[in-house]
């Protein structure tokens, strides 16, 4: 009769597949791009407001 060794009870660390690593990297990149895009949209909105104000001033003349 064979006895189980202690090492067999330890959990074996699983390797993360390359495809999952790639997906995690893509997710991180997308989050970063999303933050940048939000900044750009905010700047565009600000510029549109300024443009609108300037256009009104020109129209009054």
């Amino acid at each position: 009769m064979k006895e189980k060794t202690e090492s067999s009870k330890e959990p074996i660390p699983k390797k993360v597949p390359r495809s999952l690593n790639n997906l995690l990297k893509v997710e991180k990149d997308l989050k970063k791009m999303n933050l940048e895009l939000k900044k750009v949209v905010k700047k565009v909105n600000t510029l549109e407001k300024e443009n609108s104000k300037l256009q009104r001033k020109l129209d009054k003349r």
Side-chain angles (χ1 to χ4, degrees), residues 33-47:
M33 289 170 62
N34 191 30
L35 282 175
E36 303 242 344
L37 185 60
K38 284 181 181 180
K39 289 178 186 178
V40 170
V41 167
K42 190 173 181 179
K43 285 181 182 180
V44 166
N45 286 337
T46 302
L47 289 172

Side-chain angles (χ1 to χ4, degrees), residues 4-12:
K4 290 184 178 178
T5 60
E6 289 297 315
S7 64
S8 66
K9 293 181 181 178
E10 294 177 14
I12 300 171

